[in-house]
């Protein structure tokens, strides 16, 4: 597929600039925001095998092409993750049936991640709100949060996280720990009341419980738990942090399927930005997620890498050397050599519904590249009997389009707004009910 036909028409209007920055290799790092300077690129066809054989049937997709793409993206980008730890178990820490003024049932559950009985292990603390009045099991949105469970609501009963966090005085985080001022500091991104009133539950956990988000030489989080004796870092084909967060979402799903108040056939996994990358990778690997939602996930998420618009492979690998596997560094400024692109990440989710959301001012995440990933995944949805997304043009601002592949670009910046959530719930209403 060549970028120039027919997608050339898909122009984002706006100020077009190129920004020159530097990275540690001291080579100028050019950040391109000029649509005219997007390099010509060829996307590999999700319905053609690497050896050129076409894929004409669902069985060839599931049996041959899908495993091929999954293997390539695992080995070259996100890295191989282990299975569920043998001695993992859950403790329900609290369960209150009349939380949030009677609107919610609130549970706190600790997932003890352990391989052996004697391991210290890693604890993943999950907060679950369910509609209190639900007569049956409830569908649930699952997503990691950035600042601890206590930050997503002003509910004073939520346990204050004691995990390491990046300092941020605006979020009440000092000396790498949350203070009580951190309670509710991110509540505007989590419209819990609207979710409960619409019949959805919410499961969330702090992503740093799985792997604190800094390049610490792989000493903390879940990675060391899986090292061989004398291993000190993942091998170049083994998981980085994005794959670890995705793995953590699956471990939360392991709990949710045991919770009798949760409809485990109707769990939507959602993530914003780096956590949108993780949500997409979780959805690609774990078919228990009925819906996958990417909010402004950008480079390494929904955005096509080969466009090299906004954040690039080199830039992301330089700023966040711990996010992807070692092999991904091979593609710094050599995106053309990638045997896949992010439309294939979307295709791995097929035929399950996936929603991609962009924000027009979030050029760093390349809204057009996010849209094109959905568009180029559409043939796989069609092969599997679903309408994905039709229409080659990006929609007008603030309009939700598509069928099994949903998309919108809203006005404003990189963020999660009530408008985004409304679109996700409308989408879930359409596909889950
Ligand atoms: C940085 C990073 C992005 C990421 C974002 C976020 O901007 O470059 O790739 O999506 O942080 O997670 O907020």
């Amino acid at each position: 597929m060549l970028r120039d036909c027919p997608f050339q028409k898909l122009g984002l209007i706006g100020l077009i600039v190129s920004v020159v920055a530097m990275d540690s290799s001291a080579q100028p790092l050019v950040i391109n925001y000029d649509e005219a300077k997007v390099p010509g690129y060829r996307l590999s066809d999700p319905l053609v095998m690497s050896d050129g054989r076409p894929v004409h049937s669902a069985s060839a997709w599931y049996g041959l092409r899908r495993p091929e793409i999954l293997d390539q993206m695992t080995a070259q980008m996100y890295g191989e993750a282990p299975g569920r730890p043998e001695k993992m178990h859950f403790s329900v820490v609290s369960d209150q049936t009349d939380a949030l003024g009677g609107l919610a049932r609130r549970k706190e559950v600790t997932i003890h991640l352990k391989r052996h009985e004697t391991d210290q292990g890693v604890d993943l603390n999950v907060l679950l709100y369910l509609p209190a009045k639900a007569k049956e099991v409830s569908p649930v949105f699952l997503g990691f949060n950035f600042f601890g469970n206590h930050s997503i609501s002003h509910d004073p009963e939520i346990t204050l996280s004691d995990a390491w966090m990046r300092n941020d005085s605006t979020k009440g985080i000092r000396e790498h720990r949350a203070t009580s001022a951190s309670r509710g500091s991110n509540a505007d991104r989590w419209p819990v009341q609207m979710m409960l009133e619409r019949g959805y539950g919410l499961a969330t956990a702090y992503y740093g419980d799985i792997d604190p988000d800094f390049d610490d030489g792989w000493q903390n989080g879940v990675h060391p738990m899986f090292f061989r004796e004398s291993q000190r870092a993942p091998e170049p084909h083994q998981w980085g942090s994005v794959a670890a967060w995705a793995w953590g979402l699956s471990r939360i799903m392991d709990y949710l399927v045991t919770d009798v108040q949760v409809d485990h056939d109707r769990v939507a996994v959602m993530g914003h930005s780096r956590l949108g990358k993780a949500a997409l990778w979780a959805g690609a690997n774990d078919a228990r997620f009925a819906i996958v939602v990417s909010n402004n996930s950008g480079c390494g998420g929904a955005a096509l890498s080969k466009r090299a618009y906004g954040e690039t492979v080199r830039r992301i690998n330089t700023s966040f050397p711990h996010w992807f596997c070692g092999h991904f560094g091979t593609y710094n400024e050599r995106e053309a050599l990638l045997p896949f692109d992010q439309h294939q990440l979307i295709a791995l989710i097929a035929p399950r519904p996936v929603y991609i959301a962009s924000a027009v001012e979030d050029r760093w995440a390349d809204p057009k590249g996010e849209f094109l990933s959905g568009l180029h995944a559409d043939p796989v949805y069609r092969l599997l009997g679903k309408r994905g997304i039709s229409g080659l043009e990006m929609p007008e601002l603030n309009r939700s389009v598509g069928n099994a592949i949903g998309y919108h670009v809203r006005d404003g910046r990189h963020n999660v707004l009530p408008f985004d959530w409304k679109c996700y719930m409308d989408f879930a209403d359409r596909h889950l009910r």
Side-chain angles (χ1 to χ4, degrees), residues 110-145:
T110 299
I111 301 179
H112 306 283
L113 299 163
K114 278 180 183 233
R115 298 190 63 196
H116 311 103
E117 213 55 78
T118 50
D119 288 351
Q120 191 193 343
V122 168
D123 282 351
L124 171 59
N125 299 302
V126 180
L127 168 67
L128 179 61
Y129 280 120
L130 293 166
K133 304 257 163 4
K135 298 213 169 47
E136 296 170 9
V137 288
S138 301
V140 163
F141 278 90
L142 161 63
F144 273 130
N145 62 68

Side-chain angles (χ1 to χ4, degrees), residues 31-204:
I31 300 299
N32 178 44
Y33 289 122
D34 182 347
E35 199 55 47
K37 289 188 183 153
V38 168
Y41 61 87
R42 193 172 282 278
L43 295 181
S44 60
D45 189 328
L47 293 179
V48 177
M49 298 287 298
S50 295
D51 64 8
R53 276 177 296 156
V55 173
H56 290 307
S57 65
S59 63
W61 167 257
Y62 288 120
L64 298 170
R65 182 56 170 148
R66 187 181 187 284
E68 180 178 66
I69 295 172
L70 191 59
D71 286 354
Q72 287 172 338
M73 297 194 94
T74 300
Q76 301 297 317
M77 186 169 180
Y78 298 97
E80 193 178 285
R84 160 186 172 142
E86 297 83 332
K87 295 288 176 192
M88 178 175 90
H89 59 278
F90 318 116
S91 335
V92 178
V93 179
S94 67
D95 184 358
Q96 192 180 330
T97 50
D98 60 349
L100 300 178
L103 194 63
R105 177 166 188 161
R106 184 194 56 239
K107 294 187 195 182
E108 292 185 306
V109 178
T110 299
I111 301 179
H112 306 283
L113 299 163
K114 278 180 183 233
R115 298 190 63 196
H116 311 103
E117 213 55 78
T118 50
D119 288 351
Q120 191 193 343
V122 168
D123 282 351
L124 171 59
N125 299 302
V126 180
L127 168 67
L128 179 61
Y129 280 120
L130 293 166
K133 304 257 163 4
K135 298 213 169 47
E136 296 170 9
V137 288
S138 301
V140 163
F141 278 90
L142 161 63
F144 273 130
N145 62 68
F146 280 91
F147 301 104
N149 296 342
H150 61 269
S151 71
I152 71 116
S153 161
H154 291 282
D155 179 350
E157 302 291 319
I158 301 172
T159 303
L160 191 73
S161 172
D162 61 4
W164 179 95
M165 283 178 206
R166 181 161 295 108
N167 283 334
D168 186 337
S169 54
T170 67
K171 300 284 180 200
I173 300 163
R174 298 214 171 71
E175 294 172 24
H176 296 298
R177 294 288 179 263
T179 66
S180 57
S182 178
R183 289 190 172 282
S185 59
N186 229 25
D188 51 353
R189 282 196 182 167
W190 299 92
V192 177
Q193 185 172 339
M194 168 163 86
M195 298 171 93
L196 294 166
E197 285 170 353
R198 290 188 61 160
Y200 290 97
L202 169 67
T204 186

Side-chain angles (χ1 to χ4, degrees), residues 66 250 253 264-265 267 282-291 348-350 352:
R66 187 181 187 284
S250 286
M253 190 65 187
H264 44 81
D265 291 328
V267 175
N285 280 281
D286 191 337
R288 295 174 300 175
F289 294 118
I291 288 189
L348 289 174
I349 296 164
R352 288 166 293 143

